[in-house]
Amino acid sequence: MTAFTRLAALPRAPVLWRQSRRLRRDTPRLPDAALPWSGSRPGPDPVRLVVVGDSTAAGVGADTQDDALPGWFAVEIERRFARGTQYAAFGRNGATARDVVESHLGAATAQPFDLALLTIGANDALGLRSRTSFARDVAAIVARMREASPDATVLVSLLPRFDRFELLPQPLRSTLGAHAMSLDAAARAAVERLDGVIAIPPPPPYVDGFFATDRFHPSRDGYRMWAEYVFDYADTVGFTLGDAPS
């Protein structure tokens, strides 16, 4: 993909600013998933899972983390590997990759884990952050996670397809879409060849039921679809957690 530069957005800046302001004003603000952000799914040889990132790590759009990424990852782990899960989520609504580095990575890596999901980038795209800075921070996050638990697998699932968000007016939709895919490509290229890392491609087209009532964050079903997509892709590159002991 050709790199999208922020200079390309300058001629549209006044329109983009007005559309962004209107969007923030009119879009319902959904709460985070209810506390606690840690939990478990029964089963043998539990997988220690951490989810790190922004509003999608915070479970915005779902009632609890059982209905968001940690819970649906646990369902997939049970279905595919016949193992239980102990999970914890870290991050906050509105976080950028730099925020994760500075404020959430320490807590996320304080205890050993077997599997991690990094979900970050939407707010970097919304802030028109540079490819270089975003890729550098994603690489730093992944390196810290690999250092903390060298035997773990880190799944990296980054930018949404803003160009498919019907909520967004044009030209904001196409501008954010292009920048998001540019950030995504740069960050995945920075980490995808590292040992123990699986960089997940951008998501397939969104279907009815994917979005929550704000038409921006995933719904309970959206998080389920996301988890299935991540594991389906990981299967294609030979990812395994091993079989539970008999």
PDB file of all heavy atoms in Angstrom, residues 28-45:
ATOM      1  N   PRO A  28     -23.197   8.859  20.479  1.00  0.00           N
ATOM      2  CA  PRO A  28     -23.397   8.459  21.882  1.00  0.00           C
ATOM      3  C   PRO A  28     -22.101   7.938  22.483  1.00  0.00           C
ATOM      4  O   PRO A  28     -21.333   7.230  21.817  1.00  0.00           O
ATOM      5  CB  PRO A  28     -24.448   7.345  21.785  1.00  0.00           C
ATOM      6  CG  PRO A  28     -25.092   7.517  20.454  1.00  0.00           C
ATOM      7  CD  PRO A  28     -24.054   8.102  19.545  1.00  0.00           C
ATOM      8  N   ARG A  29     -21.833   8.277  23.722  1.00  0.00           N
ATOM      9  CA  ARG A  29     -20.629   7.801  24.404  1.00  0.00           C
ATOM     10  C   ARG A  29     -21.001   6.601  25.274  1.00  0.00           C
ATOM     11  O   ARG A  29     -21.649   6.747  26.314  1.00  0.00           O
ATOM     12  CB  ARG A  29     -20.005   8.906  25.245  1.00  0.00           C
ATOM     13  CG  ARG A  29     -18.662   8.499  25.853  1.00  0.00           C
ATOM     14  CD  ARG A  29     -17.957   9.683  26.479  1.00  0.00           C
ATOM     15  NE  ARG A  29     -16.704   9.299  27.089  1.00  0.00           N
ATOM     16  CZ  ARG A  29     -15.539   9.170  26.451  1.00  0.00           C
ATOM     17  NH1 ARG A  29     -15.504   9.407  25.156  1.00  0.00           N
ATOM     18  NH2 ARG A  29     -14.448   8.818  27.086  1.00  0.00           N
ATOM     19  N   LEU A  30     -20.602   5.445  24.843  1.00  0.00           N
ATOM     20  CA  LEU A  30     -20.914   4.218  25.570  1.00  0.00           C
ATOM     21  C   LEU A  30     -19.907   3.987  26.688  1.00  0.00           C
ATOM     22  O   LEU A  30     -18.738   4.363  26.571  1.00  0.00           O
ATOM     23  CB  LEU A  30     -20.918   3.026  24.615  1.00  0.00           C
ATOM     24  CG  LEU A  30     -21.908   3.079  23.452  1.00  0.00           C
ATOM     25  CD1 LEU A  30     -21.789   1.820  22.597  1.00  0.00           C
ATOM     26  CD2 LEU A  30     -23.331   3.248  23.963  1.00  0.00           C
ATOM     27  N   PRO A  31     -20.339   3.335  27.768  1.00  0.00           N
ATOM     28  CA  PRO A  31     -19.412   3.082  28.881  1.00  0.00           C
ATOM     29  C   PRO A  31     -18.469   1.918  28.588  1.00  0.00           C
ATOM     30  O   PRO A  31     -18.701   1.111  27.679  1.00  0.00           O
ATOM     31  CB  PRO A  31     -20.358   2.726  30.035  1.00  0.00           C
ATOM     32  CG  PRO A  31     -21.546   2.115  29.355  1.00  0.00           C
ATOM     33  CD  PRO A  31     -21.706   2.876  28.058  1.00  0.00           C
ATOM     34  N   ASP A  32     -17.415   1.838  29.383  1.00  0.00           N
ATOM     35  CA  ASP A  32     -16.560   0.659  29.367  1.00  0.00           C
ATOM     36  C   ASP A  32     -17.348  -0.553  29.843  1.00  0.00           C
ATOM     37  O   ASP A  32     -18.401  -0.425  30.478  1.00  0.00           O
ATOM     38  CB  ASP A  32     -15.379   0.839  30.324  1.00  0.00           C
ATOM     39  CG  ASP A  32     -14.457   1.977  29.933  1.00  0.00           C
ATOM     40  OD1 ASP A  32     -14.563   2.471  28.798  1.00  0.00           O
ATOM     41  OD2 ASP A  32     -13.621   2.352  30.780  1.00  0.00           O
ATOM     42  N   ALA A  33     -16.829  -1.732  29.549  1.00  0.00           N
ATOM     43  CA  ALA A  33     -17.386  -2.939  30.148  1.00  0.00           C
ATOM     44  C   ALA A  33     -17.285  -2.828  31.664  1.00  0.00           C
ATOM     45  O   ALA A  33     -16.346  -2.239  32.205  1.00  0.00           O
ATOM     46  CB  ALA A  33     -16.624  -4.166  29.661  1.00  0.00           C
ATOM     47  N   ALA A  34     -18.266  -3.389  32.343  1.00  0.00           N
ATOM     48  CA  ALA A  34     -18.295  -3.306  33.800  1.00  0.00           C
ATOM     49  C   ALA A  34     -17.088  -4.012  34.409  1.00  0.00           C
ATOM     50  O   ALA A  34     -16.572  -4.991  33.868  1.00  0.00           O
ATOM     51  CB  ALA A  34     -19.591  -3.931  34.328  1.00  0.00           C
ATOM     52  N   LEU A  35     -16.636  -3.497  35.540  1.00  0.00           N
ATOM     53  CA  LEU A  35     -15.594  -4.181  36.302  1.00  0.00           C
ATOM     54  C   LEU A  35     -16.146  -5.467  36.896  1.00  0.00           C
ATOM     55  O   LEU A  35     -17.342  -5.560  37.159  1.00  0.00           O
ATOM     56  CB  LEU A  35     -15.076  -3.252  37.396  1.00  0.00           C
ATOM     57  CG  LEU A  35     -14.354  -1.984  36.903  1.00  0.00           C
ATOM     58  CD1 LEU A  35     -14.044  -1.081  38.077  1.00  0.00           C
ATOM     59  CD2 LEU A  35     -13.086  -2.336  36.132  1.00  0.00           C
ATOM     60  N   PRO A  36     -15.311  -6.468  37.153  1.00  0.00           N
ATOM     61  CA  PRO A  36     -13.867  -6.476  36.959  1.00  0.00           C
ATOM     62  C   PRO A  36     -13.487  -6.753  35.512  1.00  0.00           C
ATOM     63  O   PRO A  36     -14.287  -7.299  34.752  1.00  0.00           O
ATOM     64  CB  PRO A  36     -13.415  -7.625  37.865  1.00  0.00           C
ATOM     65  CG  PRO A  36     -14.572  -8.589  37.822  1.00  0.00           C
ATOM     66  CD  PRO A  36     -15.805  -7.721  37.767  1.00  0.00           C
ATOM     67  N   TRP A  37     -12.259  -6.388  35.165  1.00  0.00           N
ATOM     68  CA  TRP A  37     -11.731  -6.672  33.841  1.00  0.00           C
ATOM     69  C   TRP A  37     -10.879  -7.933  33.835  1.00  0.00           C
ATOM     70  O   TRP A  37     -10.082  -8.152  32.919  1.00  0.00           O
ATOM     71  CB  TRP A  37     -10.908  -5.499  33.338  1.00  0.00           C
ATOM     72  CG  TRP A  37     -11.742  -4.342  32.881  1.00  0.00           C
ATOM     73  CD1 TRP A  37     -13.092  -4.179  32.993  1.00  0.00           C
ATOM     74  CD2 TRP A  37     -11.253  -3.165  32.234  1.00  0.00           C
ATOM     75  NE1 TRP A  37     -13.484  -2.987  32.459  1.00  0.00           N
ATOM     76  CE2 TRP A  37     -12.377  -2.337  31.995  1.00  0.00           C
ATOM     77  CE3 TRP A  37     -10.001  -2.728  31.845  1.00  0.00           C
ATOM     78  CZ2 TRP A  37     -12.256  -1.092  31.371  1.00  0.00           C
ATOM     79  CZ3 TRP A  37      -9.874  -1.503  31.234  1.00  0.00           C
ATOM     80  CH2 TRP A  37     -11.000  -0.688  30.988  1.00  0.00           C
ATOM     81  N   SER A  38     -11.044  -8.741  34.834  1.00  0.00           N
ATOM     82  CA  SER A  38     -10.363 -10.034  34.882  1.00  0.00           C
ATOM     83  C   SER A  38     -11.415 -11.101  35.137  1.00  0.00           C
ATOM     84  O   SER A  38     -12.486 -10.829  35.685  1.00  0.00           O
ATOM     85  CB  SER A  38      -9.299 -10.061  35.978  1.00  0.00           C
ATOM     86  OG  SER A  38      -9.887  -9.806  37.246  1.00  0.00           O
ATOM     87  N   GLY A  39     -11.106 -12.327  34.705  1.00  0.00           N
ATOM     88  CA  GLY A  39     -12.067 -13.406  34.878  1.00  0.00           C
ATOM     89  C   GLY A  39     -11.481 -14.714  34.383  1.00  0.00           C
ATOM     90  O   GLY A  39     -10.281 -14.820  34.130  1.00  0.00           O
ATOM     91  N   SER A  40     -12.345 -15.680  34.230  1.00  0.00           N
ATOM     92  CA  SER A  40     -11.867 -16.996  33.804  1.00  0.00           C
ATOM     93  C   SER A  40     -12.987 -17.751  33.115  1.00  0.00           C
ATOM     94  O   SER A  40     -14.170 -17.422  33.270  1.00  0.00           O
ATOM     95  CB  SER A  40     -11.359 -17.800  35.006  1.00  0.00           C
ATOM     96  OG  SER A  40     -12.413 -18.038  35.935  1.00  0.00           O
ATOM     97  N   ARG A  41     -12.580 -18.753  32.362  1.00  0.00           N
ATOM     98  CA  ARG A  41     -13.500 -19.717  31.781  1.00  0.00           C
ATOM     99  C   ARG A  41     -12.983 -21.094  32.179  1.00  0.00           C
ATOM    100  O   ARG A  41     -11.818 -21.412  31.920  1.00  0.00           O
ATOM    101  CB  ARG A  41     -13.568 -19.573  30.258  1.00  0.00           C
ATOM    102  CG  ARG A  41     -14.669 -20.445  29.623  1.00  0.00           C
ATOM    103  CD  ARG A  41     -14.804 -20.154  28.138  1.00  0.00           C
ATOM    104  NE  ARG A  41     -15.881 -20.937  27.526  1.00  0.00           N
ATOM    105  CZ  ARG A  41     -17.143 -20.560  27.473  1.00  0.00           C
ATOM    106  NH1 ARG A  41     -17.485 -19.386  27.993  1.00  0.00           N
ATOM    107  NH2 ARG A  41     -18.063 -21.322  26.908  1.00  0.00           N
ATOM    108  N   PRO A  42     -13.812 -21.906  32.824  1.00  0.00           N
ATOM    109  CA  PRO A  42     -13.319 -23.177  33.347  1.00  0.00           C
ATOM    110  C   PRO A  42     -12.785 -24.086  32.257  1.00  0.00           C
ATOM    111  O   PRO A  42     -13.237 -24.048  31.105  1.00  0.00           O
ATOM    112  CB  PRO A  42     -14.560 -23.787  34.011  1.00  0.00           C
ATOM    113  CG  PRO A  42     -15.503 -22.656  34.225  1.00  0.00           C
ATOM    114  CD  PRO A  42     -15.239 -21.689  33.124  1.00  0.00           C
ATOM    115  N   GLY A  43     -11.823 -24.893  32.623  1.00  0.00           N
ATOM    116  CA  GLY A  43     -11.268 -25.869  31.710  1.00  0.00           C
ATOM    117  C   GLY A  43      -9.884 -26.275  32.153  1.00  0.00           C
ATOM    118  O   GLY A  43      -9.263 -25.614  32.996  1.00  0.00           O
ATOM    119  N   PRO A  44      -9.375 -27.371  31.596  1.00  0.00           N
ATOM    120  CA  PRO A  44      -8.058 -27.844  31.997  1.00  0.00           C
ATOM    121  C   PRO A  44      -6.937 -26.933  31.530  1.00  0.00           C
ATOM    122  O   PRO A  44      -7.088 -26.200  30.558  1.00  0.00           O
ATOM    123  CB  PRO A  44      -7.946 -29.216  31.317  1.00  0.00           C
ATOM    124  CG  PRO A  44      -9.101 -29.340  30.402  1.00  0.00           C
ATOM    125  CD  PRO A  44     -10.027 -28.210  30.612  1.00  0.00           C
ATOM    126  N   ASP A  45      -5.821 -26.952  32.259  1.00  0.00           N
ATOM    127  CA  ASP A  45      -4.599 -26.253  31.865  1.00  0.00           C
ATOM    128  C   ASP A  45      -4.896 -24.840  31.374  1.00  0.00           C
ATOM    129  O   ASP A  45      -4.637 -24.499  30.213  1.00  0.00           O
ATOM    130  CB  ASP A  45      -3.897 -27.069  30.774  1.00  0.00           C
ATOM    131  CG  ASP A  45      -2.470 -26.610  30.527  1.00  0.00           C
ATOM    132  OD1 ASP A  45      -1.900 -25.951  31.416  1.00  0.00           O
ATOM    133  OD2 ASP A  45      -1.946 -26.880  29.430  1.00  0.00           O
TER     134      ASP A  45
END
